[in-house]
Amino acid sequence: MKYLFFLIITSVAIASCNSAAESSSKNMEALLKDSSKFTSIQWQDTAIDFGAKKMGEVVNITFTCKNIGDKPLYLITVRPSCGCTVADYTKEPIAPGQEGKIDAQFDTKKSHPGDVRKTIFITANNSNRAPQFLAFTGTILADSSANK
């Protein structure tokens, strides 16, 4: 009986989480279609050079944006260009005049030695509907060249 009760409670919790995620997704889609909710975004840097790192290191990169409009700014989609990078970002609305962040982690073990250029695609409720791309570059040193 306890198992059945636990199963029912778990099922209800999962269903409500899925419902909340679907509702949030629909709200974000609506936000992108309603130009009265658009604002302006300013990036501190859109390209960062992390320098030279040894193969196997994890590189942390932070991009900072500022809401320079008069409506709340929502970072809706933050999608790295490949599986070697993961990104976390400000998920709550960014008030006018306030800053948000995108923290990226680049795992050099999942890349290759030499020069690299990676991008992060951003969708936000900004008035300039052009896609936003952030980039970072650097050089990954192979183990043998790292010891020289």
Side-chain angles (χ1 to χ4, degrees), residues 39-89:
T39 190
S40 296
I41 187 170
Q42 179 181 48
W43 292 96
Q44 183 177 5
D45 289 307
T46 56
I48 295 176
D49 183 345
F50 63 77
K53 299 293 180 184
K54 294 178 190 173
M55 179 64 84
E57 287 186 62
V58 173
V59 181
N60 294 302
I61 301 115
T62 299
F63 294 96
T64 303
C65 65
K66 184 174 184 176
N67 180 352
I68 58 172
D70 59 0
K71 306 277 189 307
L73 172 65
Y74 294 87
L75 299 177
I76 297 167
T77 304
V78 175
R79 189 174 56 232
S81 60
C82 71
C84 58
T85 305
V86 294
D88 192 21
Y89 60 97

Side-chain angles (χ1 to χ4, degrees), residues 100-113:
K101 294 194 182 296
I102 295 177
D103 293 313
Q105 279 193 332
F106 170 57
D107 186 350
T108 61
K109 290 183 289 189
K110 296 181 179 179
S111 191
H112 56 81

Side-chain angles (χ1 to χ4, degrees), residues 9-31:
I9 295 298
T10 304
S11 297
V12 169
I14 291 171
S16 66
C17 287
N18 287 340
S19 176
E22 288 175 15
S23 174
S24 177
S25 178
K26 288 180 183 176
N27 289 342
M28 292 298 136
E29 287 176 26
L31 187 65

Side-chain angles (χ1 to χ4, degrees), residues 109-146:
K109 290 183 289 189
K110 296 181 179 179
S111 191
H112 56 81
D115 293 337
V116 295
R117 182 182 196 290
K118 304 295 178 180
T119 57
I120 301 172
F121 174 76
I122 313 298
T123 303
N125 65 318
N126 57 314
S127 53
N128 175 1
R129 299 308 303 147
Q132 303 271 312
F133 289 95
L134 305 174
F136 60 90
T137 59
T139 302
I140 300 173
L141 304 172
D143 288 334
S144 61
S145 64

